[in-house]
Amino acid sequence: MRKIPFSPPDITEAEINEVAEALRSGWITTGPRTKLLERRIAAFIETGKNDVDTEADVARWSNRVVCLNSATAAEELNLRILGVGPGDEVIVPAYTYTATASAAIHCGATVKFVDIRKDGDAVTHMPEMDYEDLASAITEKTKAIVAVDLAGIIADYETIYKIAEEKKDLFHPAEADGTPLGDLNHRIQTAIGRVAVLSDAAHSLGASRTFRGEKKYCGAIADFTSFSFHAVKNFTTAEGGASTWLPIEGVDNAEIYKFFQLLSLHGQNKDALAKTKLGAWEYDIIGPWYKCNMTDIMAGIGLRQLDRYPGLLKRRAQIIAKFDAACDELGISHLRHYTGGSNSSGHLYLIRIPGITAEQRNAVIEKMAEQGVATNVHYKPLPMMTAYKAQGVKIEDYPNAYNYYANLVSLPLHTLLSDEDVAYVVEALRNTIKDMKLC
Ligand SMILES: Cc1ncc(COP(=O)(O)O)c(C=O)c1O
């Protein structure tokens, strides 16, 4: 019997050597490797290329991406840069991981959940928000909509922006409060002039989609985007994440970048590198803020992962093609990662077995485990979780999210799977379906 883990990290000697180099270099916290990774991710997001020589034009690629210690931190800092706080509402799909919602709660905002479309998007089957429900959820208090590019498939931002524009009259930008951050928040909200569109792109680095007639990569579509580089993600730095944003009229990117640095490093106006300059010990604390910076050890893993990333995305596409063929033959519904204008990052392979209950689904997961295949469920909707139930949210109000979850299984999808492993997973699924007389 084979043992197929769900999502082990794909780490080679290249990543190991880069980490060793970082350790030997004498600089292990945020420093040159982190800054280089930020520039390279900026170039990747704009061009889809991982080999742009960002050293040739450092200024061009600087101040556009901020590497942090997680996507959760990136989501929270995106909201704090935007100026979301107590009294504000943030709209989040009911079908996502907790971080999409908890980041807004950390900022003191109120989360409003929106159900997904029945069976997800008509083409990709990705569990996107119901856009009519989204439009009706926007009030005078709404400051942000956080869409989720679940499984690596980019959501329909054209529709989301259209809704935000249509509801523009309800939007009131935050007043300046006389503090440097409050002033930035005011200028950003005024320049955007509508509810901001945020992307939880924890799964979707490297995905692309036709947006307003042009091919755009994830990170170059929403007003603010957050990526995850957690150990189970396509692209990992063990733990880690990044924020990026679109240029905001009248606000300098360098200023936004500076505030991300301040928010992620205690509100301290000099980082460790700046303090090493001769005689430059003195610093100020301009806000009692957070600590969520990326270290150069993590960035070292990321630099070498980025070298390999296009190859990793290709391998995911090959595995997905094999799973697609098997599911189509078995009559199992699955995500469509590669459709006309949309190329996913192929992060998760979600299947839905027609007509089964949540109990039968759990039995499928057990039968797969008995055959050595680890599977999972992405996701149990947030209104079913204790923390959100305690806030008065009820799953009965999100029937599409519940139905999507009840018959869903996530198959193992990662780049350590050999072709034989993929065939084995398919065979285990076939046996399970047959034994349980499903489909
Ligand atoms: C949709 C989504 N958003 C956010 C996160 C949080 O990522 P991180 O662990 O990097 O904070 C995850 C992690 O799994 C996720 O799946």
Side-chain angles (χ1 to χ4, degrees), residues 41 68-75 97 99 199-205 218 225-243 294 305 309 345 347 379:
I41 292 173
L68 297 163
N69 70 359
S70 69
T72 310
E75 286 181 49
Y97 185 61
S199 167
D200 179 336
H203 303 173
S204 51
L205 181 71
C218 180
T225 298
S226 49
F227 297 108
S228 176
F229 308 149
H230 177 267
V232 300
K233 299 299 190 290
N234 289 17
F235 173 102
T236 188
T237 58
E239 292 285 354
S243 278
M294 177 176 277
Q305 286 265 295
Y309 198 47
S345 65
H347 178 54
Y379 288 97

Side-chain angles (χ1 to χ4, degrees), residues 10 12 16 32 35 79 84 87 97-98 116 126 128 141 168 194 236 254 277 306 332 334 338 363 376 389 425 430:
D10 184 340
T12 64
I16 294 168
K35 302 294 164 192
L79 292 165
V84 171
Y97 185 61
T98 183
I116 59 163
M126 198 271 263
E128 296 213 19
K141 293 183 178 168
K168 216 175 172 150
R194 50 160 170 72
T236 188
K277 305 240 163 68
L306 195 51
I332 294 173
H334 57 87
Y338 311 98
N376 218 318
K389 283 198 277 191
V425 173
R430 201 188 299 278

Side-chain angles (χ1 to χ4, degrees), residues 158-186:
E158 272 187 42
T159 299
I160 300 169
Y161 274 115
K162 189 164 162 273
I163 294 168
E165 281 294 333
E166 281 165 6
K167 297 277 175 172
K168 216 175 172 150
D169 291 348
L170 288 177
F171 182 74
H172 307 291
E175 297 294 334
D177 64 1
T179 66
L181 180 58
D183 177 53
L184 177 71
N185 297 156
H186 165 70

